[in-house]
Amino acid sequence: MARTRSSLRRAFAAGLTVLATAAAALVATAGPAAAATTPGVDVSRYQGTINWTSVRNAGIQFAFIKATEGTSYKDPNFNANYVNSYNAGVIRGAYHFARPNISAGSTQANYLASNGGAWSADSRTLPAALDIEGNPYAGGYCYGLSTTGMRNWVQDFLNTYRSRTGRYAVIYTTTSWWNQCTGSWTGPWANHPLWLARWSSTPGALPAGASVWSFWQYTSTGVVSGISGNVDRNYWNGDRSRLIALANNT
């Protein structure tokens, strides 16, 4: 996702403890038509200048917006997208593209929290997402880390983000990457919402231990008024009121 989206598109949930009342009714579905879902997008600088009023008028209700990558990159369009989406009535959250082979998870979580990934209970700000997927750069598909090393890195990121913001971060990943690179680790799914990446008509198998997807990125070639060219399309596994509950941690 994000920086890799233009030329290095990747091949490419939770039973929420703090969101038990908000998410308990969510179930994995065979497809978006089988239950109430809420449409969204995720964007980065590759989408250029976005008319967020047109996006909202087209029915898009939420957006994840690239904020940071690694320890030094901030998306140049983040500030405009984050403010303008909010003003248009879009529920939005930041996301961080993980680079586990260049620094500790805590370092990158702090960088995200200090550069757009903070949280406030204003009905339109989601907890930020950790985008962790196949490495598009040198260093191997799993960033040169063992499954234990990857688990430790992810846990370090998640613990630090929660310490900084009071929220459990969303985790964006694919089932295949997660199972391979973390050794089918089940630990995070008790608290952290799963944002599943699977470009298909159904969500398919979930990462080991995940009982439900909270967000599902189902295509990379969506078309939405107000956005030039293709854009990733997503569903939230519930209606808008439940998404606001996630935003407000209620």
Side-chain angles (χ1 to χ4, degrees), residues 25-27 29 31-39 213-214 235-242:
L26 301 183
V27 294
T29 60
T37 53
T38 301
W213 57 270
S214 293
Y235 287 109
W236 157 252
N237 198 351
D239 63 19
R240 183 178 174 90
S241 68
R242 298 275 52 86

Side-chain angles (χ1 to χ4, degrees), residues 99-218:
R99 301 284 301 278
N101 57 344
I102 67 171
S103 75
S106 56
T107 302
Q108 294 189 35
N110 278 317
Y111 185 64
L112 167 64
S114 297
N115 288 277
W119 173 78
S120 58
D122 56 17
S123 298
R124 294 187 198 171
T125 302
L126 296 167
L130 170 64
D131 173 0
I132 189 145
E133 55 181 277
N135 182 10
Y137 307 110
Y141 184 64
C142 298
Y143 297 87
L145 299 185
S146 66
T147 54
T148 298
M150 185 61 73
R151 292 183 189 188
N152 290 341
W153 191 96
V154 172
Q155 192 66 69
D156 192 30
F157 183 102
L158 298 177
N159 288 347
T160 302
Y161 184 77
R162 178 157 169 75
S163 177
R164 284 289 304 270
T165 67
R167 297 303 308 271
Y168 292 106
V170 176
I171 301 174
Y172 169 97
T173 195
T174 67
T175 296
S176 59
W177 185 92
W178 185 265
N179 289 348
Q180 177 179 335
C181 296
T182 74
S184 297
W185 184 33
T186 64
W189 307 128
N191 298 305
H192 296 272
L194 168 62
W195 180 8
L196 179 70
R198 185 171 191 261
W199 301 341
S200 181
S201 59
T202 62
L206 304 183
S211 61
V212 63
W213 57 270
S214 293
F215 300 93
W216 168 30
Q217 184 191 77
Y218 63 91

